[in-house]
Coordinates of all heavy atoms in Angstrom, one line a residue:
E7 N -16.4 -29.6 6.0 CA -17.1 -28.9 7.1 C -16.3 -27.8 7.8 O -15.1 -27.9 7.9 CB -17.5 -30.0 8.2 CG -18.3 -31.1 7.7 CD -18.4 -32.2 8.7 OE1 -18.1 -32.0 9.9 OE2 -18.8 -33.3 8.4
K8 N -17.0 -26.8 8.2 CA -16.4 -25.6 8.8 C -15.6 -26.1 10.1 O -14.5 -25.6 10.3 CB -17.4 -24.6 9.1 CG -16.8 -23.3 9.7 CD -17.9 -22.2 9.9 CE -17.2 -21.0 10.4 NZ -18.2 -19.9 10.6
A9 N -16.2 -27.0 10.8 CA -15.5 -27.4 12.0 C -14.2 -28.1 11.7 O -13.2 -27.9 12.5 CB -16.4 -28.4 12.8
K10 N -14.1 -28.8 10.6 CA -12.8 -29.4 10.3 C -11.8 -28.4 9.9 O -10.6 -28.5 10.2 CB -13.0 -30.5 9.2 CG -13.8 -31.7 9.6 CD -13.8 -32.7 8.5 CE -14.5 -34.0 9.0 NZ -14.6 -35.0 8.0
I11 N -12.2 -27.4 9.2 CA -11.3 -26.3 8.8 C -10.8 -25.6 10.0 O -9.6 -25.2 10.1 CB -12.0 -25.4 7.7 CG1 -12.2 -26.2 6.4 CG2 -11.1 -24.1 7.5 CD1 -13.0 -25.4 5.4
E12 N -11.7 -25.3 10.9 CA -11.3 -24.7 12.2 C -10.3 -25.5 13.0 O -9.4 -25.0 13.5 CB -12.5 -24.3 13.0 CG -13.4 -23.2 12.5 CD -14.7 -23.0 13.2 OE1 -15.0 -23.8 14.2 OE2 -15.4 -22.1 12.9
R13 N -10.5 -26.8 12.9 CA -9.6 -27.7 13.6 C -8.2 -27.7 12.9 O -7.2 -27.7 13.6 CB -10.2 -29.1 13.7 CG -9.3 -30.1 14.4 CD -9.3 -29.9 15.9 NE -8.5 -30.9 16.6 CZ -8.0 -30.8 17.7 NH1 -8.2 -29.7 18.4 NH2 -7.3 -31.8 18.3
I14 N -8.2 -27.7 11.6 CA -6.9 -27.6 10.9 C -6.2 -26.4 11.3 O -5.0 -26.4 11.6 CB -7.2 -27.7 9.4 CG1 -7.7 -29.0 8.9 CG2 -5.9 -27.3 8.6 CD1 -8.2 -29.0 7.5
N15 N -6.9 -25.2 11.3 CA -6.3 -24.0 11.7 C -5.8 -24.0 13.1 O -4.7 -23.5 13.4 CB -7.3 -22.8 11.5 CG -7.5 -22.6 10.0 OD1 -6.7 -22.9 9.1 ND2 -8.7 -22.0 9.7
F16 N -6.6 -24.6 14.0 CA -6.1 -24.7 15.4 C -4.9 -25.5 15.5 O -3.9 -25.1 16.2 CB -7.3 -25.3 16.3 CG -6.8 -25.7 17.7 CD1 -6.7 -24.7 18.6 CD2 -6.5 -27.0 18.0 CE1 -6.3 -25.0 19.9 CE2 -6.0 -27.3 19.3 CZ -5.9 -26.3 20.2
L17 N -4.8 -26.6 14.9 CA -3.6 -27.5 14.9 C -2.4 -26.8 14.3 O -1.3 -27.0 14.8 CB -3.9 -28.8 14.3 CG -4.9 -29.7 15.0 CD1 -5.2 -31.0 14.2 CD2 -4.4 -30.2 16.4
A18 N -2.6 -26.0 13.2 CA -1.5 -25.3 12.6 C -0.9 -24.3 13.6 O 0.3 -24.2 13.7 CB -2.0 -24.7 11.3
K19 N -1.8 -23.6 14.2 CA -1.4 -22.5 15.2 C -0.7 -23.2 16.4 O 0.4 -22.7 16.8 CB -2.6 -21.7 15.7 CG -2.2 -20.6 16.6 CD -3.4 -19.7 16.9 CE -2.9 -18.6 17.8 NZ -4.1 -17.7 18.2
K20 N -1.2 -24.3 16.9 CA -0.6 -24.9 18.0 C 0.7 -25.5 17.6 O 1.7 -25.5 18.4 CB -1.6 -26.1 18.5 CG -1.0 -26.7 19.8 CD -2.0 -27.7 20.3 CE -1.4 -28.3 21.6 NZ -2.1 -29.5 22.1
A21 N 0.9 -26.0 16.4 CA 2.1 -26.6 16.0 C 3.2 -25.5 16.0 O 4.4 -25.8 16.3 CB 2.0 -27.2 14.6
K22 N 2.9 -24.3 15.6 CA 3.8 -23.2 15.6 C 4.2 -22.7 17.0 O 5.3 -22.2 17.2 CB 3.3 -22.0 14.8 CG 3.2 -22.3 13.3 CD 2.7 -21.2 12.5 CE 2.5 -21.5 11.1 NZ 1.9 -20.4 10.3
T23 N 3.2 -22.8 17.9 CA 3.5 -22.2 19.2 C 4.0 -23.2 20.3 O 5.0 -23.0 20.9 CB 2.2 -21.5 19.8 OG1 1.1 -22.4 19.8 CG2 1.8 -20.3 18.9
E24 N 3.2 -24.3 20.4 CA 3.5 -25.3 21.5 C 4.1 -26.6 21.0 O 4.8 -27.3 21.7 CB 2.2 -25.6 22.2 CG 1.5 -24.5 22.8 CD 0.1 -24.9 23.3 OE1 0.0 -26.0 23.8 OE2 -0.8 -24.1 23.2
G25 N 3.8 -26.9 19.8 CA 4.1 -28.2 19.2 C 2.9 -29.2 19.4 O 2.0 -28.9 20.1
L26 N 2.9 -30.3 18.7 CA 1.8 -31.2 18.7 C 2.2 -32.5 19.2 O 3.4 -33.0 19.1 CB 1.3 -31.4 17.2 CG 0.7 -30.2 16.5 CD1 0.4 -30.6 15.1 CD2 -0.5 -29.6 17.2
S27 N 1.3 -33.2 19.9 CA 1.5 -34.6 20.3 C 1.5 -35.5 19.1 O 1.1 -35.1 18.0 CB 0.4 -35.0 21.3 OG -0.8 -35.1 20.7
D28 N 1.9 -36.7 19.3 CA 1.8 -37.7 18.1 C 0.4 -37.9 17.6 O 0.2 -38.0 16.4 CB 2.4 -39.0 18.6 CG 3.9 -39.0 18.8 OD1 4.5 -38.0 18.3 OD2 4.4 -39.9 19.5
A29 N -0.6 -37.9 18.5 CA -2.0 -38.1 18.1 C -2.5 -36.9 17.3 O -3.2 -37.0 16.3 CB -2.9 -38.3 19.3
E30 N -2.1 -35.7 17.8 CA -2.5 -34.5 17.1 C -1.8 -34.3 15.7 O -2.4 -33.9 14.7 CB -2.1 -33.2 17.9 CG -3.0 -33.1 19.1 CD -2.5 -32.0 20.1 OE1 -1.3 -31.8 20.2 OE2 -3.4 -31.3 20.7
T31 N -0.6 -34.8 15.6 CA 0.1 -34.8 14.3 C -0.6 -35.7 13.3 O -0.8 -35.4 12.2 CB 1.6 -35.2 14.5 OG1 2.2 -34.3 15.4 CG2 2.3 -35.2 13.2
A32 N -1.0 -36.9 13.8 CA -1.7 -37.8 13.0 C -3.0 -37.3 12.6 O -3.4 -37.4 11.4 CB -1.9 -39.2 13.7
E33 N -3.7 -36.6 13.5 CA -5.0 -36.0 13.2 C -4.8 -34.9 12.1 O -5.6 -34.8 11.2 CB -5.7 -35.4 14.4 CG -7.0 -34.8 14.2 CD -7.5 -34.0 15.4 OE1 -6.8 -33.9 16.4 OE2 -8.7 -33.5 15.3
R34 N -3.8 -34.1 12.3 CA -3.5 -33.0 11.3 C -3.3 -33.6 9.9 O -3.8 -33.1 8.9 CB -2.3 -32.2 11.8 CG -2.0 -31.1 10.8 CD -0.7 -30.4 11.2 NE 0.4 -31.4 11.1 CZ 1.7 -31.1 11.3 NH1 2.0 -30.0 11.8 NH2 2.6 -32.1 11.2
D35 N -2.5 -34.7 9.9 CA -2.2 -35.3 8.6 C -3.5 -35.8 7.9 O -3.6 -35.6 6.7 CB -1.2 -36.4 8.7 CG 0.2 -35.9 9.2 OD1 0.4 -34.7 9.1 OD2 1.0 -36.7 9.6
V36 N -4.3 -36.4 8.7 CA -5.6 -36.9 8.1 C -6.5 -35.8 7.6 O -7.0 -35.8 6.5 CB -6.4 -37.8 9.1 CG1 -7.8 -38.1 8.7 CG2 -5.6 -39.1 9.4
L37 N -6.6 -34.7 8.4 CA -7.4 -33.6 8.0 C -6.8 -32.9 6.8 O -7.5 -32.4 5.9 CB -7.5 -32.6 9.2 CG -8.4 -33.0 10.3 CD1 -8.2 -32.1 11.5 CD2 -9.8 -33.2 9.9
R38 N -5.5 -32.8 6.7 CA -4.8 -32.1 5.5 C -5.1 -32.9 4.3 O -5.4 -32.4 3.2 CB -3.3 -32.1 5.7 CG -2.9 -31.0 6.6 CD -1.4 -31.0 6.7 NE -0.9 -29.8 7.4 CZ 0.4 -29.6 7.7 NH1 1.3 -30.5 7.3 NH2 0.8 -28.6 8.4
K39 N -5.1 -34.3 4.4 CA -5.3 -35.1 3.2 C -6.8 -34.9 2.7 O -7.1 -34.8 1.6 CB -5.0 -36.6 3.5 CG -3.6 -36.9 3.6 CD -3.3 -38.3 3.9 CE -1.8 -38.5 4.0 NZ -1.5 -39.9 4.4
E40 N -7.7 -34.9 3.7 CA -9.1 -34.7 3.4 C -9.3 -33.3 2.8 O -10.1 -33.2 1.8 CB -9.9 -34.8 4.7 CG -11.4 -35.0 4.5 CD -12.1 -35.2 5.8 OE1 -11.6 -35.8 6.7 OE2 -13.3 -34.8 5.9
Y41 N -8.7 -32.3 3.3 CA -8.8 -30.9 2.8 C -8.3 -30.9 1.3 O -8.9 -30.3 0.5 CB -8.0 -30.0 3.7 CG -8.0 -28.5 3.2 CD1 -9.1 -27.7 3.4 CD2 -6.9 -28.0 2.6 CE1 -9.1 -26.4 3.0 CE2 -6.8 -26.7 2.2 CZ -8.0 -25.9 2.4 OH -8.0 -24.6 2.0
L42 N -7.1 -31.4 1.1 CA -6.5 -31.4 -0.3 C -7.4 -32.2 -1.3 O -7.6 -31.8 -2.4 CB -5.1 -32.0 -0.2 CG -4.1 -31.0 0.4 CD1 -2.7 -31.8 0.5 CD2 -3.9 -29.8 -0.4
A43 N -8.0 -33.3 -0.8 CA -8.9 -34.1 -1.7 C -10.1 -33.2 -2.1 O -10.6 -33.3 -3.2 CB -9.3 -35.4 -1.0
A44 N -10.6 -32.5 -1.1 CA -11.8 -31.6 -1.4 C -11.4 -30.5 -2.3 O -12.2 -30.2 -3.3 CB -12.3 -31.1 -0.1
I45 N -10.3 -29.9 -2.2 CA -9.8 -28.9 -3.1 C -9.7 -29.4 -4.5 O -10.1 -28.8 -5.5 CB -8.5 -28.2 -2.6 CG1 -8.8 -27.4 -1.4 CG2 -7.9 -27.4 -3.7 CD1 -7.6 -26.8 -0.8
R46 N -9.0 -30.6 -4.6 CA -8.8 -31.2 -5.9 C -10.1 -31.5 -6.6 O -10.3 -31.3 -7.8 CB -8.0 -32.5 -5.8 CG -6.5 -32.2 -5.5 CD -5.7 -33.4 -5.4 NE -4.3 -33.1 -5.1 CZ -3.7 -33.4 -3.9 NH1 -4.4 -34.2 -3.0 NH2 -2.5 -33.1 -3.7
A47 N -11.1 -32.1 -5.8 CA -12.4 -32.4 -6.4 C -13.1 -31.1 -6.9 O -13.7 -31.1 -7.9 CB -13.3 -33.1 -5.3
N48 N -13.0 -30.1 -6.1 CA -13.6 -28.8 -6.5 C -13.0 -28.3 -7.8 O -13.7 -27.8 -8.7 CB -13.5 -27.8 -5.4 CG -14.3 -26.5 -5.6 OD1 -14.2 -25.9 -6.7 ND2 -15.1 -26.1 -4.6
F49 N -11.7 -28.3 -7.8 CA -11.0 -27.8 -9.0 C -11.3 -28.6 -10.2 O -11.5 -28.1 -11.3 CB -9.4 -27.9 -8.7 CG -8.6 -27.2 -9.8 CD1 -8.7 -25.9 -10.0 CD2 -7.8 -28.0 -10.6 CE1 -7.9 -25.2 -11.0 CE2 -7.0 -27.4 -11.6 CZ -7.1 -26.0 -11.8

Side-chain angles (χ1 to χ4, degrees):
E7 297 171 19
K8 185 176 181 178
K10 288 185 179 183
I11 293 172
E12 289 173 357
R13 183 68 177 160
I14 291 169
N15 291 332
F16 170 78
L17 291 172
K19 184 176 181 180
K20 186 176 179 188
K22 290 179 184 177
T23 57
E24 307 170 31
L26 298 176
S27 68
D28 291 340
E30 289 170 326
T31 301
E33 179 187 7
R34 179 189 65 182
D35 293 344
V36 169
L37 289 171
R38 280 182 175 176
K39 287 179 183 178
E40 193 174 331
Y41 178 76
L42 289 173
I45 288 176
R46 287 182 182 115
N48 188 311
F49 187 67

